[in-house]
């Protein structure tokens, strides 16, 4: 409903934003998988519009209860301005978590297809068709679209690594490009990568399990023990 207002505001903000801030915003949108839908100026304009809407609602709510309007309006504006940043951060974290979880299985599918006699492009296409839904599958589908559009495979793979910006993905892509350049067999390399990613996922799960008791100390000491 307010997209026309966001577009109008972004048109003027685009000329005012410094290039460095535009690149930083675009990189964060790329990590969230939104670079195809928004640019940095549109995201900033959306934050301002949302802040104005929240401030208006807070002022109306304060007026309804016959309260001073200034501070609720400022609080609503701050909440509306910073909540999209929190949403973007949570979306990036969720995409990283889902990608890290699905990567070993996708690598297993690609390895199975390569060892069955398919080339790498066909193996990735089969992994996209048969793999679990999620951000990693979407990024591989985007990789296939880039290669069908005529981009070199190594360049499309590097763009995939830049979009996800994860050490596991970067390591896998660099190993894949190096193996392709040197003419090495892809099957054993892909299988080793899948095993390594699975080991990393298990180690991360163990780390999170060990952190759980420490995170439980605060609610245990301040909420459960006083009640007991």
């Amino acid at each position: 409903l307010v997209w026309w207002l966001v577009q109008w505001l972004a048109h003027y903000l685009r000329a005012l934003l410094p290039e460095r801030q535009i690149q930083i915003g675009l990189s964060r949108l790329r990590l969230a998988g939104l670079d195809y839908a928004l640019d940095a100026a549109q995201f900033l304009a959306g934050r301002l519009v949302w802040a104005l809407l929240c401030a208006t609602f807070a002022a109306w709510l304060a007026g309804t209860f016959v309260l001073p309007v200034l501070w609720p309006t400022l609080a609503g504006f701050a909440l509306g301005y910073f909540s999209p940043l929190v949403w973007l951060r949570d979306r990036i974290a969720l995409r990283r978590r889902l990608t890290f979880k699905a990567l070993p299985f996708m690598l297993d599918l690609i390895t199975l297809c390569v060892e069955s006699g398919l080339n790498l492009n066909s193996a990735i296409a089969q992994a996209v068709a048969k793999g679990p839904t999620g951000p990693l599958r979407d990024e591989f589908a985007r990789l296939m679209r880039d290669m069908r559009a005529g981009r070199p495979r190594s360049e499309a793979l590097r763009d995939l690594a830049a979009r996800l910006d994860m050490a596991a993905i970067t390591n896998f892509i660099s190993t894949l490009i190096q193996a392709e350049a040197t003419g090495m067999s892809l099957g054993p390399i892909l299988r080793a990568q899948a095993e390594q990613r699975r080991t990393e996922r298990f180690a991360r799960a163990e780390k999170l399990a060990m952190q759980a008791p420490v995170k439980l100390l605060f609610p245990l000491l301040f909420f459960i023990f006083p009640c007991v």
Side-chain angles (χ1 to χ4, degrees), residues 8-120:
W8 176 80
L9 191 57
H11 174 72
Y12 294 99
L13 288 175
R14 197 172 285 114
L16 299 176
L17 289 176
E19 185 64 26
R20 184 174 179 272
Q21 186 175 353
I22 291 176
Q23 293 300 324
I24 292 175
L26 186 60
S27 65
R28 290 185 62 81
L29 291 172
R30 187 182 298 115
L31 291 177
L34 297 173
D35 56 318
Y36 60 90
L38 292 171
D39 59 21
Q42 290 172 338
F43 183 68
L44 179 58
R47 290 172 60 191
L48 290 174
V49 171
W50 182 240
L52 291 174
L53 290 176
C54 290
T56 304
F57 177 75
W60 172 79
L61 198 62
T64 302
F65 289 98
V66 197
L67 297 173
V69 176
L70 177 61
W71 289 110
T73 303
L74 293 177
F77 186 88
L79 177 65
Y81 186 75
F82 289 106
S83 59
L85 289 179
V86 177
W87 170 80
L88 186 66
R89 183 197 62 189
D90 292 344
R91 182 180 172 90
I92 293 173
L94 178 62
R95 278 174 58 86
R96 288 180 182 273
R97 190 161 59 248
L98 293 177
T99 300
F100 194 80
K101 182 179 179 181
L103 181 59
F105 183 69
M106 293 291 285
L107 290 182
D108 284 337
L109 283 178
I110 297 174
T111 304
L112 181 62
C113 294
V114 168
E115 291 180 345
S116 300
L118 296 178
N119 58 20
L120 184 59

Side-chain angles (χ1 to χ4, degrees), residues 190-209:
L190 290 172
R191 187 168 295 280
Q193 284 287 321
E195 187 63 30
Q196 184 177 358
R197 300 288 87 80
R198 191 174 291 107
T199 303
E200 290 175 355
R201 186 177 66 178
F202 185 77
R204 182 174 181 272
E206 283 186 329
K207 178 183 176 181
L208 293 176

